[in-house]
């Protein structure tokens, strides 16, 4: 598949624009610092002129003539006195500087409403951070909250956006249940409907609460600047990863931190499991993964268990081997994938035995994407046929050395229908949509580090790669381009990323049209022939 060059704005233009913005901002700050005295004097002169106009308009008409005469006499006296004009100018500048100074009163402490909110929060924490045996408790009813809260910030509505808490050393902060009680209390008292980050410093007995900003939802599918074998699952907080990607949010270039999933022979998380509620964005994630795999020159097999037709845009495209929606086609496709995995393993093994590189066809990435496979498994068992998911054991167990990657998307209500092989070998996990803390912990293996909200946009959730930390995740907008209810700009972005159609009449590829795996008993010299 011919690769189109990346847009210039995504390769080098973004860095130039960002550098130009930084230089312009630095120059503006420097100019403001240098010209600050002139700005203050100019503001003071404007204030004095406005005061003079008000005074003149308030002066009666019969007294304006004597006032003008008195003013002219003063000017004449100043002009005749030695150094009079210079002293008058200095006096005028001093008066202008005094009247033009910044008179905004500095905030030295919380307001009455903020003090009351901090006091109520302190009283609510007393039962959790105090014991009767403590001779000098840090938390006590009627105590001083200034000793416990060393830092705080509020928004315009008067709600807490950041709070630094000191707690006693005997608090059991090493137990997850104890921390969960404190986090639930702070979430309820600080205001629901927002997402909070709790940073526990167990060594210093300190807790930092911070309100997280919403992740960007306007980033559509686009050619991401990644290395071969890297897949962008979505975008997260700036402090969660040490990398940024240049993207376009609408028409504006930005640098955002991504969640990168690495596949290949050296990957520790070769397969992915995505779980969510209906409408949470799991199909969007699979479409995004498929488009990125096709741009990197891989082959894609798609099994749509829901039968919704959301992957019909990929039918007949270059690199898409099959898009199956029925149990019979899914069984044949997954059986072929298992045989292809075995063929690649044998060909690679025989090539290494004779000291030659692996054949080219065994190094081409093969992606197997399954959306709601439990539905097809249920239909196959109801018809008396074999379970299609049983064919996934070979690609899941031996797919990494064979360059075979499996991505499974399932709903929370059907997780018990997935076999053990899926749970054991999908070390990269994603949870999308609204979910309870325990549901997220059951899938990811760890509870989220933030408080989940009840209302989240599609594609919003959490991701964990192997034994790494849990990241907040926002999947790039990748809707079905044939869905008229989707945003037109997002649909057009997906259409531009689709590869060209295969030559010949448009038809849905089936497992029979796939190339048959090479004979497993081929001679080592033939199987290991260099590309």
């Amino acid at each position: 598949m011919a690769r189109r060059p990346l847009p210039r704005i995504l390769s080098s233009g973004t860095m130039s624009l960002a550098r130009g913005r930084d230089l312009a901002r630095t120059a503006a700050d420097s100019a403001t610092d240098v010209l600050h005295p002139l700005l203050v004097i100019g503001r003071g002169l404007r204030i004095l002129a406005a005061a003079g106009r008000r005074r003149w308009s308030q002066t009666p008409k019969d007294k304006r003539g004597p006032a003008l005469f008195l003013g002219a006499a003063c000017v004449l006296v100043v002009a005749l006195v030695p150094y009079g004009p210079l002293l008058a100018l200095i006096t005028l500048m001093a008066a202008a500087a005094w009247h033009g100074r910044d008179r905004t009163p500095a905030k030295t402490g919380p307001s009455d409403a903020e003090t009351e909110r901090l006091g109520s929060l302190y009283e609510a924490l007393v039962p959790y951070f105090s014991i009767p045996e403590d001779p000098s408790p840090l938390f006590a009813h009627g105590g001083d909250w200034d000793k416990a809260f060393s830092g705080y910030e509020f928004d315009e509505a008067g709600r807490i956006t950041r709070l630094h808490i000191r707690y006693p050393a005997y608090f059991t902060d090493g137990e997850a249940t104890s921390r969960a009680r404190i986090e639930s209390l702070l979430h309820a008292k600080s205001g629901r409907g927002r997402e909070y980050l709790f940073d526990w410093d167990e060594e210093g007995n300190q807790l930092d609460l911070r309100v997280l900003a919403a992740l960007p939802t306007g980033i559509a599918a686009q050619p991401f600047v990644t290395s071969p074998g890297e897949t962008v699952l979505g975008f997260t907080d700036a402090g969660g990863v040490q990398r940024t990607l240049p993207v376009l949010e609408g028409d504006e270039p930005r640098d955002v931190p991504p969640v990168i999933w690495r596949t290949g022979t050296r990957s520790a998380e070769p397969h992915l499991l995505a779980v969510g509620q209906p409408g949470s964005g799991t199909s969007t994630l699979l479409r995004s993964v498929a488009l990125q795999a096709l741009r990197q020159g891989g082959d894609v097999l798609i099994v749509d268990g829901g039968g919704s037709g959301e992957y019909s845009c990929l039918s007949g495209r270059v690199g898409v081997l099959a898009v199956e929606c029925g149990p019979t086609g899914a069984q044949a496709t997954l059986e072929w994938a298992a045989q292809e995995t075995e063929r690649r393993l044998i060909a690679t093994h025989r090539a290494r035995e004779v000291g030659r590189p692996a054949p080219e066809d065994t190094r081409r990435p093969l992606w197997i994407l399954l959306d709601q496979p439990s539905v097809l498994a249920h239909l196959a068992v109801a018809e008396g046929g074999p379970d299609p998911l049983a064919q996934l054991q070979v690609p899941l167990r031996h797919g990494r050395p064979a360059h075979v990657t499996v991505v499974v998307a399932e709903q929370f209500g059907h997780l018990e229908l997935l076999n053990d092989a899926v749970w054991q070998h999908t070390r990269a996990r994603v949870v999308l949509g609204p979910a309870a803390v325990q549901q997220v912990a059951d899938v990811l293996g760890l509870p989220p580090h933030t408080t989940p909200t009840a209302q989240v946009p599609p594609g919003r959730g959490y991701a964990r790669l192997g034994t790494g930390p849990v990241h907040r995740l926002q999947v790039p907008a990748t809707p079905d381009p044939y869905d008229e209810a989707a945003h037109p700009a997002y649909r057009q972005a997906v259409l531009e990323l689709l590869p060209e159609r295969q030559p010949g009449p448009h038809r849905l590829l089936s497992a029979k049209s796939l190339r048959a795996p090479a004979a497993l008993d081929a001679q080592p010299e033939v199987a290991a022939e260099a590309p």
Side-chain angles (χ1 to χ4, degrees), residues 8 19 78 99 112 189 229 236 318 321 329 353 387 403 457 499 514 529:
R8 188 175 181 181
R19 191 179 299 109
V78 170
H99 287 280
D112 295 339
K189 293 296 183 179
T236 184
V318 174
L321 302 182
E353 283 183 343
D387 185 3
H403 296 273
L514 297 172
E529 185 175 353

Side-chain angles (χ1 to χ4, degrees), residues 104-271:
T104 304
K107 186 177 180 180
T108 58
S111 62
D112 295 339
E114 295 172 353
T115 302
E116 183 179 358
R117 182 179 289 271
L118 291 174
S120 63
L121 185 59
Y122 174 83
E123 293 291 335
L125 291 173
V126 169
Y128 300 92
F129 286 150
S130 64
I131 57 176
E133 295 80 6
D134 191 351
S136 57
L138 182 61
F139 285 81
H141 291 292
D144 190 3
W145 57 264
D146 289 340
K147 299 179 180 179
F149 300 156
S150 58
Y152 44 83
E153 295 179 5
F154 293 85
D155 58 7
E156 297 178 355
R159 297 191 300 175
I160 295 176
T161 59
R162 188 157 193 170
L163 182 64
H164 191 76
I165 304 174
R166 294 176 54 246
Y167 56 86
Y170 52 75
F171 176 72
T172 56
D173 52 3
E175 300 178 2
T177 55
S178 300
R179 294 198 304 268
R181 287 196 298 267
I182 299 300
E183 293 175 1
S184 177
L185 174 64
L186 293 175
H187 182 204
K189 293 296 183 179
S190 300
R192 299 186 182 274
R194 298 184 296 175
E195 202 162 2
Y196 295 89
L197 172 65
F198 299 96
D199 186 9
W200 290 85
D201 182 8
E202 300 177 3
E203 184 178 0
N205 301 320
Q206 298 179 1
L207 170 61
D208 190 72
L209 176 148
R210 181 162 51 94
V211 177
L212 296 176
L215 294 177
T217 59
I219 301 177
Q222 54 191 278
F224 299 115
V225 183
T226 56
S227 301
E230 292 184 344
T231 302
V232 178
L233 298 180
F235 305 99
T236 184
D237 300 302
V241 295
Q242 300 179 354
R243 178 178 175 180
T244 59
L245 280 183
V247 298
L248 287 175
E249 185 175 3
D251 296 331
E252 180 181 358
R254 292 185 55 186
D255 290 336
V256 294
V259 178
I260 299 294
W261 173 40
R262 294 174 177 85
T263 57
T265 56
R266 291 181 173 83
S267 174
E269 303 87 21
H271 309 296

Side-chain angles (χ1 to χ4, degrees), residues 210-395:
R210 181 162 51 94
V211 177
L212 296 176
L215 294 177
T217 59
I219 301 177
Q222 54 191 278
F224 299 115
V225 183
T226 56
S227 301
E230 292 184 344
T231 302
V232 178
L233 298 180
F235 305 99
T236 184
D237 300 302
V241 295
Q242 300 179 354
R243 178 178 175 180
T244 59
L245 280 183
V247 298
L248 287 175
E249 185 175 3
D251 296 331
E252 180 181 358
R254 292 185 55 186
D255 290 336
V256 294
V259 178
I260 299 294
W261 173 40
R262 294 174 177 85
T263 57
T265 56
R266 291 181 173 83
S267 174
E269 303 87 21
H271 309 296
L272 174 70
L273 173 63
V275 183
Q277 301 288 356
S280 60
T282 54
S283 300
T284 297
L285 176 61
L286 259 64
R287 272 191 298 269
S288 177
V289 171
L291 291 176
Q292 296 181 61
L294 291 172
R295 289 190 62 85
Q296 293 182 3
D299 293 331
V300 177
L301 285 173
I302 301 177
V303 177
D304 184 8
S308 58
E310 293 189 358
Y311 305 95
S312 59
C313 60
L314 296 172
S315 300
R317 302 285 180 173
V318 174
V320 181
L321 302 182
V323 179
E324 295 293 345
C325 302
T328 303
Q331 175 68 25
T333 300
L334 296 180
E335 182 178 357
W336 177 90
Q339 295 177 4
E340 173 67 10
T341 304
E342 295 175 350
R343 183 196 71 82
R344 292 186 175 203
L345 290 175
I346 294 176
T348 303
H349 177 68
R350 290 176 175 174
R352 291 175 179 175
E353 283 183 343
V354 297
R356 295 184 179 180
E360 181 67 25
D361 59 345
T362 63
R363 291 181 291 174
R364 184 180 178 87
L366 175 62
W367 293 74
I368 305 174
L369 310 182
L370 298 95
D371 192 359
Q372 302 184 39
S374 60
V375 178
L376 293 178
H378 177 75
L379 294 177
V381 172
E383 295 177 359
D387 185 3
L389 294 181
Q391 301 294 334
L392 281 178
Q393 295 187 9
V394 175

Side-chain angles (χ1 to χ4, degrees), residues 444-503:
L444 301 183
L446 283 179
H449 61 294
T450 61
T451 54
T453 57
Q455 301 293 333
V456 294
R460 174 67 175 82
Y462 299 93
R464 188 189 183 199
L465 304 178
T467 58
V470 178
H471 300 284
R472 290 204 307 166
L473 181 71
Q474 178 62 51
V475 179
T478 316
D480 181 9
Y482 301 151
D483 184 10
E484 297 182 355
H487 195 281
Y490 299 158
R491 294 166 54 192
Q492 182 62 31
V494 175
L495 289 175
E496 293 177 356
L497 292 178
L498 289 175
E500 299 178 356
R501 293 192 177 275
Q502 295 181 357

